[in-house]
Amino acid sequence: MTTTDLAQTIEQPDADSAAAGPSMARLLRPHVRSFAAVVILQVIGALAGLAPLLAVVELGRTLLSPGPIDHVHVWTVVIAGAAGLPIRLLCTAASSGIGHVLDSRVQLTFRRQLAASLGRVPIGWFSRRRTGELAKVVGEDVSAVHPFIAHAPGELVAAFVVPLVSLIYLFTVDWRLTLITLIPVVLATALVPLLMLPARTREQEAYDAAMGRIASSVVEFVQGISVVKAFGGGERAHRTFLTAADDFVSIFSRWVRGMSVIAAGM
């Protein structure tokens, strides 16, 4: 069960609340300006990070070119390259800080909406759900959006801006050598669909289900400690947890082997 599944299941009894159910788009819409600030600062930081490298190339061209050296141009290039490092540090730090503050606000809003939805459902709804699964969804699954909000925007921008600007610059230097350097990138991109195979999707779903069973068995074991102390049967009490843990180890091992095969192919 995921946060989306929980939100949809909770709100099925009420059509009006289903229309106003929590969704990622609604959660992020009030924070568009913060996301824009994260992206803009990351773009500036990524471009500033290229400045020292481009400055070295430009210095080589200037110092190795025939004729007198233009000292003004040399110092301009040196200052521009040296300024790129602190600018990159400041911009990326500010982008990361804003992203983490934004992440904490979104998670708080999401948990409040889930708690409000849980407070409106009938009591019988909880009898059909395991406490561990609900705890996993409200706790771990909501926390799982942290990379998506706090890191993904800035890292994706840097991952696209730096290669794009570098390619543009390399094409201005020698387009033939640039095309040769793109061959490994094309081969790696061709192997990416292997990560999206139905088998990989089923393994991820099985992994999430196994984590939910472990959480549920832990809650059941802790809640039954008083009964075990009174009536015995300790071996039976933790048998469910051991079974869930063994299933998780088996699923995780298959997932690691599958990822190793894909990595070896790349």
Side-chain angles (χ1 to χ4, degrees), residues 16-181:
D16 294 335
S17 62
S23 66
M24 190 59 67
R26 291 191 182 93
L27 289 172
L28 300 182
R29 190 174 295 118
H31 308 287
V32 172
R33 292 184 178 179
S34 298
F35 269 107
V38 170
V39 171
I40 292 173
L41 288 172
Q42 192 65 42
V43 169
I44 296 174
L47 295 177
L50 290 174
L53 301 177
L54 300 180
V56 171
V57 176
E58 186 62 27
L59 281 176
R61 288 179 173 178
T62 302
L63 296 177
L64 296 177
S65 61
I69 298 176
D70 187 351
H71 297 280
V72 175
H73 178 68
V74 169
W75 279 109
T76 302
V77 172
V78 170
I79 294 173
L85 293 177
I87 293 175
R88 178 182 182 276
L89 179 62
L90 291 175
C91 290
T92 53
S95 176
S96 177
I98 296 174
H100 281 79
V101 172
L102 177 60
D103 169 64
S104 63
R105 292 177 179 175
V106 171
Q107 287 195 35
L108 177 61
T109 303
F110 204 176
R111 286 194 173 95
R112 284 177 174 173
Q113 291 190 9
L114 287 175
S117 299
L118 287 171
R120 295 194 300 267
V121 301
I123 297 298
W125 185 89
F126 291 96
S127 64
R128 301 190 300 270
R129 302 294 186 279
R130 293 183 175 182
T131 305
E133 291 182 353
L134 295 177
K136 176 180 178 295
V137 171
V138 178
E140 297 179 11
D141 288 358
V142 173
S143 299
V145 304
H146 170 77
F148 170 73
I149 297 175
H151 299 283
E155 292 177 358
L156 286 175
V157 168
F160 281 100
V161 170
V162 173
L164 180 61
V165 175
S166 300
L167 281 176
I168 293 174
Y169 179 77
L170 291 175
F171 269 111
T172 62
V173 176
D174 192 324
W175 64 270
R176 292 176 293 271
L177 290 177
T178 304
L179 292 177
I180 294 175
T181 60

